[in-house]
mmCIF file of all heavy atoms in Angstrom:
data_model
loop_
_atom_site.group_PDB
_atom_site.id
_atom_site.type_symbol
_atom_site.label_atom_id
_atom_site.label_comp_id
_atom_site.label_asym_id
_atom_site.label_seq_id
_atom_site.Cartn_x
_atom_site.Cartn_y
_atom_site.Cartn_z
ATOM 1 N N TRP A 9 29.988 58.560 115.502
ATOM 2 C CA TRP A 9 29.869 57.685 114.342
ATOM 3 C C TRP A 9 28.937 58.310 113.303
ATOM 4 O O TRP A 9 27.885 58.857 113.642
ATOM 5 C CB TRP A 9 29.271 56.328 114.738
ATOM 6 C CG TRP A 9 30.024 55.588 115.796
ATOM 7 C CD1 TRP A 9 31.272 55.859 116.274
ATOM 8 C CD2 TRP A 9 29.549 54.450 116.523
ATOM 9 N NE1 TRP A 9 31.617 54.965 117.251
ATOM 10 C CE2 TRP A 9 30.574 54.089 117.434
ATOM 11 C CE3 TRP A 9 28.374 53.706 116.501
ATOM 12 C CZ2 TRP A 9 30.444 53.012 118.307
ATOM 13 C CZ3 TRP A 9 28.238 52.631 117.363
ATOM 14 C CH2 TRP A 9 29.273 52.287 118.243
ATOM 15 N N PRO A 10 29.281 58.177 112.024
ATOM 16 C CA PRO A 10 28.330 58.579 110.973
ATOM 17 C C PRO A 10 27.101 57.683 111.028
ATOM 18 O O PRO A 10 27.146 56.558 111.539
ATOM 19 C CB PRO A 10 29.114 58.371 109.674
ATOM 20 C CG PRO A 10 30.541 58.248 110.083
ATOM 21 C CD PRO A 10 30.558 57.712 111.474
ATOM 22 N N LEU A 11 26.008 58.172 110.485
ATOM 23 C CA LEU A 11 24.749 57.426 110.522
ATOM 24 C C LEU A 11 24.875 56.022 109.919
ATOM 25 O O LEU A 11 24.368 55.056 110.509
ATOM 26 C CB LEU A 11 23.649 58.220 109.808
ATOM 27 C CG LEU A 11 22.262 57.583 109.800
ATOM 28 C CD1 LEU A 11 21.761 57.355 111.220
ATOM 29 C CD2 LEU A 11 21.279 58.462 109.032
ATOM 30 N N PRO A 12 25.554 55.833 108.770
ATOM 31 C CA PRO A 12 25.686 54.466 108.233
ATOM 32 C C PRO A 12 26.401 53.520 109.196
ATOM 33 O O PRO A 12 26.059 52.330 109.274
ATOM 34 C CB PRO A 12 26.499 54.664 106.950
ATOM 35 C CG PRO A 12 26.233 56.076 106.544
ATOM 36 C CD PRO A 12 26.116 56.833 107.828
ATOM 37 N N THR A 13 27.367 54.043 109.930
ATOM 38 C CA THR A 13 28.078 53.203 110.906
ATOM 39 C C THR A 13 27.141 52.795 112.036
ATOM 40 O O THR A 13 27.135 51.631 112.473
ATOM 41 C CB THR A 13 29.295 53.953 111.475
ATOM 42 O OG1 THR A 13 30.204 54.251 110.413
ATOM 43 C CG2 THR A 13 30.007 53.126 112.537
ATOM 44 N N ILE A 14 26.353 53.728 112.524
ATOM 45 C CA ILE A 14 25.397 53.409 113.588
ATOM 46 C C ILE A 14 24.435 52.320 113.127
ATOM 47 O O ILE A 14 24.202 51.331 113.829
ATOM 48 C CB ILE A 14 24.617 54.675 114.008
ATOM 49 C CG1 ILE A 14 25.549 55.671 114.705
ATOM 50 C CG2 ILE A 14 23.457 54.307 114.922
ATOM 51 C CD1 ILE A 14 24.878 56.978 115.083
ATOM 52 N N GLN A 15 23.885 52.490 111.924
ATOM 53 C CA GLN A 15 22.929 51.509 111.411
ATOM 54 C C GLN A 15 23.581 50.136 111.247
ATOM 55 O O GLN A 15 22.978 49.106 111.565
ATOM 56 C CB GLN A 15 22.345 51.976 110.077
ATOM 57 C CG GLN A 15 21.547 53.265 110.152
ATOM 58 C CD GLN A 15 20.177 53.110 110.802
ATOM 59 O OE1 GLN A 15 19.407 54.047 110.835
ATOM 60 N NE2 GLN A 15 19.849 51.951 111.317
ATOM 61 N N SER A 16 24.830 50.115 110.785
ATOM 62 C CA SER A 16 25.523 48.832 110.586
ATOM 63 C C SER A 16 25.767 48.130 111.913
ATOM 64 O O SER A 16 25.564 46.913 112.034
ATOM 65 C CB SER A 16 26.851 49.059 109.861
ATOM 66 O OG SER A 16 26.642 49.566 108.561
ATOM 67 N N VAL A 17 26.207 48.883 112.916
ATOM 68 C CA VAL A 17 26.468 48.289 114.239
ATOM 69 C C VAL A 17 25.183 47.715 114.818
ATOM 70 O O VAL A 17 25.164 46.583 115.346
ATOM 71 C CB VAL A 17 27.081 49.337 115.187
ATOM 72 C CG1 VAL A 17 27.111 48.813 116.628
ATOM 73 C CG2 VAL A 17 28.488 49.706 114.737
ATOM 74 N N LEU A 18 24.085 48.456 114.707
ATOM 75 C CA LEU A 18 22.815 47.978 115.255
ATOM 76 C C LEU A 18 22.336 46.737 114.504
ATOM 77 O O LEU A 18 21.779 45.812 115.110
ATOM 78 C CB LEU A 18 21.763 49.083 115.187
ATOM 79 C CG LEU A 18 22.049 50.361 115.991
ATOM 80 C CD1 LEU A 18 20.863 51.314 115.922
ATOM 81 C CD2 LEU A 18 22.390 50.054 117.438
ATOM 82 N N ASN A 19 22.559 46.697 113.192
ATOM 83 C CA ASN A 19 22.169 45.516 112.416
ATOM 84 C C ASN A 19 22.986 44.296 112.814
ATOM 85 O O ASN A 19 22.467 43.173 112.890
ATOM 86 C CB ASN A 19 22.342 45.791 110.922
ATOM 87 C CG ASN A 19 21.299 46.755 110.384
ATOM 88 O OD1 ASN A 19 20.223 46.890 110.955
ATOM 89 N ND2 ASN A 19 21.619 47.431 109.290
ATOM 90 N N ILE A 20 24.275 44.492 113.071
ATOM 91 C CA ILE A 20 25.144 43.384 113.482
ATOM 92 C C ILE A 20 24.707 42.847 114.845
ATOM 93 O O ILE A 20 24.673 41.636 115.074
ATOM 94 C CB ILE A 20 26.612 43.836 113.519
ATOM 95 C CG1 ILE A 20 27.114 44.142 112.095
ATOM 96 C CG2 ILE A 20 27.498 42.771 114.174
ATOM 97 C CD1 ILE A 20 28.466 44.808 112.054
ATOM 98 N N TRP A 21 24.339 43.753 115.735
ATOM 99 C CA TRP A 21 23.907 43.326 117.064
ATOM 100 C C TRP A 21 22.575 42.591 117.021
ATOM 101 O O TRP A 21 22.297 41.739 117.865
ATOM 102 C CB TRP A 21 23.786 44.534 117.990
ATOM 103 C CG TRP A 21 25.122 45.003 118.523
ATOM 104 C CD1 TRP A 21 26.308 44.341 118.473
ATOM 105 C CD2 TRP A 21 25.381 46.244 119.184
ATOM 106 N NE1 TRP A 21 27.302 45.081 119.069
ATOM 107 C CE2 TRP A 21 26.763 46.260 119.520
ATOM 108 C CE3 TRP A 21 24.609 47.341 119.514
ATOM 109 C CZ2 TRP A 21 27.363 47.333 120.168
ATOM 110 C CZ3 TRP A 21 25.204 48.413 120.171
ATOM 111 C CH2 TRP A 21 26.565 48.404 120.495
ATOM 112 N N GLY A 22 21.718 42.915 116.050
ATOM 113 C CA GLY A 22 20.417 42.248 115.963
ATOM 114 C C GLY A 22 19.584 42.514 117.202
ATOM 115 O O GLY A 22 19.367 43.659 117.594
ATOM 116 N N ASN A 23 19.117 41.419 117.830
ATOM 117 C CA ASN A 23 18.317 41.591 119.044
ATOM 118 C C ASN A 23 19.157 41.444 120.312
ATOM 119 O O ASN A 23 18.631 41.195 121.391
ATOM 120 C CB ASN A 23 17.149 40.597 119.061
ATOM 121 C CG ASN A 23 17.635 39.151 119.013
ATOM 122 O OD1 ASN A 23 18.834 38.880 118.929
ATOM 123 N ND2 ASN A 23 16.697 38.212 119.060
ATOM 124 N N GLN A 24 20.473 41.594 120.188
ATOM 125 C CA GLN A 24 21.361 41.584 121.348
ATOM 126 C C GLN A 24 21.583 43.017 121.844
ATOM 127 O O GLN A 24 21.458 43.976 121.091
ATOM 128 C CB GLN A 24 22.721 40.983 120.992
ATOM 129 C CG GLN A 24 22.695 39.563 120.485
ATOM 130 C CD GLN A 24 24.097 39.061 120.210
ATOM 131 O OE1 GLN A 24 24.800 38.589 121.105
ATOM 132 N NE2 GLN A 24 24.518 39.186 118.966
ATOM 133 N N PHE A 25 21.901 43.141 123.104
ATOM 134 C CA PHE A 25 22.290 44.421 123.712
ATOM 135 C C PHE A 25 21.259 45.517 123.413
ATOM 136 O O PHE A 25 21.601 46.642 123.044
ATOM 137 C CB PHE A 25 23.677 44.870 123.220
ATOM 138 C CG PHE A 25 24.680 43.771 123.083
ATOM 139 C CD1 PHE A 25 25.267 43.477 121.861
ATOM 140 C CD2 PHE A 25 25.022 42.989 124.179
ATOM 141 C CE1 PHE A 25 26.180 42.455 121.734
ATOM 142 C CE2 PHE A 25 25.944 41.955 124.065
ATOM 143 C CZ PHE A 25 26.528 41.686 122.829
ATOM 144 N N LEU A 26 19.983 45.169 123.580
ATOM 145 C CA LEU A 26 18.933 46.134 123.271
ATOM 146 C C LEU A 26 19.019 47.367 124.156
ATOM 147 O O LEU A 26 18.621 48.463 123.742
ATOM 148 C CB LEU A 26 17.556 45.476 123.407
ATOM 149 C CG LEU A 26 17.191 44.459 122.307
ATOM 150 C CD1 LEU A 26 15.824 43.853 122.565
ATOM 151 C CD2 LEU A 26 17.222 45.114 120.930
ATOM 152 N N TYR A 27 19.524 47.226 125.369
ATOM 153 C CA TYR A 27 19.636 48.395 126.243
ATOM 154 C C TYR A 27 20.657 49.388 125.694
ATOM 155 O O TYR A 27 20.485 50.607 125.837
ATOM 156 C CB TYR A 27 19.986 47.965 127.674
ATOM 157 C CG TYR A 27 21.319 47.267 127.837
ATOM 158 C CD1 TYR A 27 22.459 47.970 128.200
ATOM 159 C CD2 TYR A 27 21.427 45.884 127.645
ATOM 160 C CE1 TYR A 27 23.673 47.335 128.360
ATOM 161 C CE2 TYR A 27 22.636 45.245 127.801
ATOM 162 C CZ TYR A 27 23.765 45.975 128.157
ATOM 163 O OH TYR A 27 24.978 45.338 128.318
ATOM 164 N N LEU A 28 21.711 48.875 125.030
ATOM 165 C CA LEU A 28 22.668 49.780 124.385
ATOM 166 C C LEU A 28 22.037 50.431 123.156
ATOM 167 O O LEU A 28 22.223 51.621 122.892
ATOM 168 C CB LEU A 28 23.932 49.023 123.982
ATOM 169 C CG LEU A 28 24.796 48.445 125.109
ATOM 170 C CD1 LEU A 28 26.003 47.709 124.519
ATOM 171 C CD2 LEU A 28 25.275 49.544 126.048
ATOM 172 N N GLN A 29 21.288 49.644 122.403
ATOM 173 C CA GLN A 29 20.642 50.173 121.208
ATOM 174 C C GLN A 29 19.598 51.231 121.562
ATOM 175 O O GLN A 29 19.457 52.241 120.858
ATOM 176 C CB GLN A 29 19.990 49.033 120.423
ATOM 177 C CG GLN A 29 20.989 47.995 119.914
ATOM 178 C CD GLN A 29 20.346 46.994 118.968
ATOM 179 O OE1 GLN A 29 19.680 47.383 118.015
ATOM 180 N NE2 GLN A 29 20.552 45.708 119.230
ATOM 181 N N LEU A 30 18.880 51.014 122.661
ATOM 182 C CA LEU A 30 17.891 52.003 123.088
ATOM 183 C C LEU A 30 18.570 53.315 123.491
ATOM 184 O O LEU A 30 18.063 54.402 123.189
ATOM 185 C CB LEU A 30 17.068 51.448 124.257
ATOM 186 C CG LEU A 30 15.954 52.353 124.781
ATOM 187 C CD1 LEU A 30 14.921 52.616 123.686
ATOM 188 C CD2 LEU A 30 15.297 51.737 126.008
ATOM 189 N N GLY A 31 19.724 53.204 124.151
ATOM 190 C CA GLY A 31 20.471 54.409 124.509
ATOM 191 C C GLY A 31 20.899 55.190 123.276
ATOM 192 O O GLY A 31 20.819 56.427 123.247
ATOM 193 N N ILE A 32 21.355 54.488 122.238
ATOM 194 C CA ILE A 32 21.770 55.146 120.990
ATOM 195 C C ILE A 32 20.570 55.783 120.298
ATOM 196 O O ILE A 32 20.656 56.902 119.765
ATOM 197 C CB ILE A 32 22.474 54.133 120.068
ATOM 198 C CG1 ILE A 32 23.822 53.725 120.676
ATOM 199 C CG2 ILE A 32 22.674 54.702 118.674
ATOM 200 C CD1 ILE A 32 24.530 52.604 119.930
ATOM 201 N N LEU A 33 19.431 55.087 120.308
ATOM 202 C CA LEU A 33 18.225 55.646 119.700
ATOM 203 C C LEU A 33 17.820 56.943 120.399
ATOM 204 O O LEU A 33 17.590 57.973 119.748
ATOM 205 C CB LEU A 33 17.077 54.633 119.781
ATOM 206 C CG LEU A 33 15.699 55.160 119.350
ATOM 207 C CD1 LEU A 33 15.663 55.418 117.853
ATOM 208 C CD2 LEU A 33 14.596 54.188 119.754
ATOM 209 N N ASN A 34 17.740 56.918 121.726
ATOM 210 C CA ASN A 34 17.253 58.079 122.478
ATOM 211 C C ASN A 34 18.214 59.254 122.438
ATOM 212 O O ASN A 34 17.797 60.411 122.294
ATOM 213 C CB ASN A 34 16.984 57.680 123.936
ATOM 214 C CG ASN A 34 15.740 56.829 124.079
ATOM 215 O OD1 ASN A 34 14.805 56.935 123.289
ATOM 216 N ND2 ASN A 34 15.720 55.964 125.068
ATOM 217 N N SER A 35 19.498 58.976 122.586
ATOM 218 C CA SER A 35 20.473 60.054 122.763
ATOM 219 C C SER A 35 21.097 60.551 121.472
ATOM 220 O O SER A 35 21.709 61.618 121.462
ATOM 221 C CB SER A 35 21.590 59.587 123.717
ATOM 222 O OG SER A 35 21.068 59.281 124.985
ATOM 223 N N ILE A 36 20.978 59.771 120.389
ATOM 224 C CA ILE A 36 21.633 60.178 119.135
ATOM 225 C C ILE A 36 20.627 60.268 117.990
ATOM 226 O O ILE A 36 20.414 61.330 117.413
ATOM 227 C CB ILE A 36 22.772 59.207 118.782
ATOM 228 C CG1 ILE A 36 23.828 59.230 119.882
ATOM 229 C CG2 ILE A 36 23.387 59.565 117.444
ATOM 230 C CD1 ILE A 36 24.925 58.225 119.716
ATOM 231 N N LEU A 37 20.003 59.150 117.656
ATOM 232 C CA LEU A 37 19.156 59.121 116.466
ATOM 233 C C LEU A 37 17.938 60.030 116.594
ATOM 234 O O LEU A 37 17.568 60.727 115.641
ATOM 235 C CB LEU A 37 18.727 57.683 116.174
ATOM 236 C CG LEU A 37 19.862 56.720 115.819
ATOM 237 C CD1 LEU A 37 19.319 55.315 115.586
ATOM 238 C CD2 LEU A 37 20.624 57.200 114.589
ATOM 239 N N LEU A 38 17.310 60.043 117.760
ATOM 240 C CA LEU A 38 16.139 60.893 117.921
ATOM 241 C C LEU A 38 16.519 62.368 118.012
ATOM 242 O O LEU A 38 15.723 63.241 117.650
ATOM 243 C CB LEU A 38 15.332 60.460 119.153
ATOM 244 C CG LEU A 38 14.592 59.124 118.986
ATOM 245 C CD1 LEU A 38 13.876 58.726 120.271
ATOM 246 C CD2 LEU A 38 13.590 59.183 117.828
ATOM 247 N N LYS A 39 17.734 62.669 118.480
ATOM 248 C CA LYS A 39 18.200 64.054 118.448
ATOM 249 C C LYS A 39 18.425 64.512 117.016
ATOM 250 O O LYS A 39 18.114 65.652 116.656
ATOM 251 C CB LYS A 39 19.497 64.189 119.254
ATOM 252 C CG LYS A 39 19.298 64.202 120.762
ATOM 253 C CD LYS A 39 20.601 64.448 121.481
ATOM 254 C CE LYS A 39 20.393 64.505 122.986
ATOM 255 N NZ LYS A 39 21.672 64.748 123.711
ATOM 256 N N LYS A 40 18.977 63.607 116.193
ATOM 257 C CA LYS A 40 19.136 63.933 114.776
ATOM 258 C C LYS A 40 17.775 64.126 114.116
ATOM 259 O O LYS A 40 17.586 65.012 113.282
ATOM 260 C CB LYS A 40 19.909 62.819 114.064
ATOM 261 C CG LYS A 40 21.408 62.777 114.363
ATOM 262 C CD LYS A 40 22.052 61.631 113.597
ATOM 263 C CE LYS A 40 23.563 61.604 113.777
ATOM 264 N NZ LYS A 40 24.226 62.737 113.114
#
């Protein structure tokens, strides 16, 4: 996913599915 898509998905989820959001942060965003 492009960065804007990632940010939009995380915003839609809000405080739901934080374990999925943490995985995306660690494995994708922090690598970028």
Side-chain angles (χ1 to χ4, degrees):
W9 303 348
L11 182 59
T13 298
I14 292 177
Q15 297 286 185
S16 296
V17 169
L18 298 185
N19 288 336
I20 293 170
W21 281 347
N23 60 358
Q24 300 182 84
F25 320 120
L26 288 179
Y27 63 95
L28 295 179
Q29 297 189 51
L30 182 62
I32 291 173
L33 172 69
N34 287 331
S35 298
I36 298 174
L37 296 179
L38 289 177
K39 283 185 178 180
K40 286 180 176 291

